[in-house]
Amino acid sequence: MLLAEGNQSVGATFTLLGFSEYPDFQVPLLLVFLTIYTVTVVGNLGMIMIIRVSPRLHTPMYFFLSHLSFVDFCYSTTVTPKLLENLVVEDRSISFVGCIMQFFLACVCAVAETFMLAVMAYDRFVAVCNPLLYTVVMSQKLCALLVAGPYIWGIASSLTLTCFLLTLSFCGSNTINNFVCEHSVIVSVSCSDPYISQMLCFVIAIFNEVSSLVIIFTTYIFIFVTVIKMSSAGGRQKAFSTCASHLTAITIFHGTILFLYCVPNSQNSWLIVKIGSLFYTVVIPMLNPLIYSLRNKDVKESVKKLINHSIQVC
């Protein structure tokens, strides 16, 4: 009923231009994105498997990391296959329902990842500031609630924005100058006034970014003060090393989002927006498992033990 009022919204189609303006680079881009997606799938699913089978990784920190890997896998799988398809075929169209579904799923993953990183910051805060009470405070029940929160809020935020998108009118064939159905590009081709939908998206996006950053900054201020007060240099180094991977992931993820917020809304900025969108929807899901595996001693040792065990079995 909301899908069409005097128009053909349900039957409307969208054309994702993607990187079609660079015809000579279609094959190289296909190979690059296919490699990135392969590493993303293997890295994130591998991380989930390693955490599940390795007893030493059955801690709250790695429980949260496994869910971050799951979100990254879902995020990349929502966006990348269509991107790869559009680099191969000439028909780059996507149905109205397909575009809305891609937006809904991508939005759920983006919001969930934003707050999953905040949850992981709280976990590091408890581990560094209250190490003796860590296992008591971070109980299974609390961990389950902390993980459920980002998923529930991600679904609620995405459902709200999607419902308001469905009130808009879309006429005929619409050209989207991006490789993914994002909120801003969907409303830009609407036949009706998108003001309410745009304002709602702005409010939700600002709330999510500010609230998650407040949680992260607050926890790391307490962590920094606690580490500075430590008398042992070895203790300070160990505390900082436990936070290094998480800080790297936060810096890359939120740095990209804040960069996109600063890009002016003009025709000349479409390429910058496209590259920024590519980075946080395709590249970051690949980087997170690499960051946590290459910089994490426990994960590297668990991988070595798993490989050695597999060799012995064979």
Side-chain angles (χ1 to χ4, degrees):
M1 185 171 65
L2 290 173
L3 296 179
E5 286 186 7
N7 60 58
Q8 302 295 322
S9 288
V10 181
T13 58
F14 298 91
T15 300
L16 296 170
L17 290 182
F19 298 93
S20 58
E21 63 265 43
Y22 307 105
D24 295 336
F25 293 96
Q26 297 298 291
V27 173
L29 287 174
L30 174 66
L31 296 175
V32 170
F33 295 148
L34 183 59
T35 302
I36 290 174
Y37 184 59
T38 302
V39 174
T40 300
V41 172
V42 173
N44 285 292
L45 294 184
M47 182 69 75
I48 294 171
M49 183 193 71
I50 291 167
I51 291 171
R52 281 187 172 274
V53 301
S54 179
R56 71 181 296 170
L57 300 182
H58 291 174
T59 64
M61 172 183 171
Y62 295 105
F63 174 70
F64 297 134
L65 178 56
S66 67
H67 281 275
L68 180 67
S69 294
F70 174 71
V71 171
D72 280 332
F73 166 74
C74 293
Y75 202 178
S76 183
T77 301
T78 300
V79 175
T80 312
K82 186 62 180 176
L83 169 61
L84 295 174
E85 178 190 336
N86 288 344
L87 289 170
V88 176
V89 301
E90 291 186 9
D91 182 12
R92 297 180 175 88
S93 63
I94 182 172
S95 67
F96 174 80
V97 174
C99 192
I100 292 297
M101 281 301 300
Q102 187 187 60
F103 164 75
F104 174 79
L105 294 173
C107 184
V108 170
C109 293
V111 175
E113 177 152 359
T114 300
F115 286 97
M116 200 69 72
L117 289 170
V119 166
M120 293 173 75
Y122 175 74
D123 171 71
R124 293 300 82 207
F125 159 73
V126 177
V128 174
C129 299
N130 297 287
L132 299 178
L133 297 175
Y134 179 66
T135 54
V136 178
V137 174
M138 301 302 292
S139 63
Q140 287 187 348
K141 183 178 180 180
L142 179 61
C143 289
L145 290 172
L146 289 174
V147 160
Y151 288 122
I152 293 171
W153 179 241
I155 293 171
S157 299
S158 184
L159 196 60
T160 302
L161 292 174
T162 302
C163 286
F164 275 85
L165 279 179
L166 295 177
T167 64
L168 301 177
S169 302
F170 298 92
C171 315
S173 181
N174 305 278
T175 301
I176 292 178
N177 191 12
N178 209 328
F179 62 91
V180 62
C181 292
E182 290 185 326
H183 188 275
S184 59
V185 293
I186 294 175
V187 299
S188 68
V189 296
S190 171
C191 300
S192 53
D193 185 7
Y195 177 77
I196 296 177
S197 184
Q198 286 176 319
M199 286 304 299
L200 184 65
C201 181
F202 176 78
V203 170
I204 291 177
I206 293 298
F207 171 80
N208 290 342
E209 188 66 11
V210 171
S211 59
S212 62
L213 285 177
V214 165
I215 294 170
I216 291 168
F217 282 135
T218 303
T219 54
Y220 272 101
I221 287 171
F222 281 106
I223 288 171
F224 182 76
V225 171
T226 301
V227 171
I228 292 300
K229 290 181 179 179
M230 291 180 178
S231 56
S232 169
R236 286 197 295 269
Q237 184 178 0
K238 183 179 179 181
F240 277 127
S241 65
T242 61
C243 301
S245 298
H246 184 244
L247 278 171
T248 304
I250 287 172
T251 302
I252 295 172
F253 182 78
H254 285 282
T256 304
I257 292 176
L258 292 174
F259 169 77
L260 287 174
Y261 280 148
C262 296
V263 175
N265 187 17
S266 66
Q267 290 295 326
N268 296 329
S269 65
W270 276 114
L271 180 59
I272 298 175
V273 171
K274 204 180 293 186
I275 293 173
S277 299
L278 180 71
F279 197 77
Y280 79 80
T281 58
V282 177
V283 178
I284 289 179
M286 176 196 69
L287 292 179
N288 281 341
L290 295 178
I291 291 169
Y292 280 97
S293 60
L294 295 176
R295 297 180 62 93
N296 192 293
K297 182 180 177 181
D298 291 335
V299 173
K300 286 191 286 188
E301 289 183 0
S302 296
V303 172
K304 288 179 182 177
K305 284 186 177 180
L306 188 62
I307 293 173
N308 291 335
H309 178 72
S310 300
I311 293 173
Q312 290 174 1
V313 171
C314 294

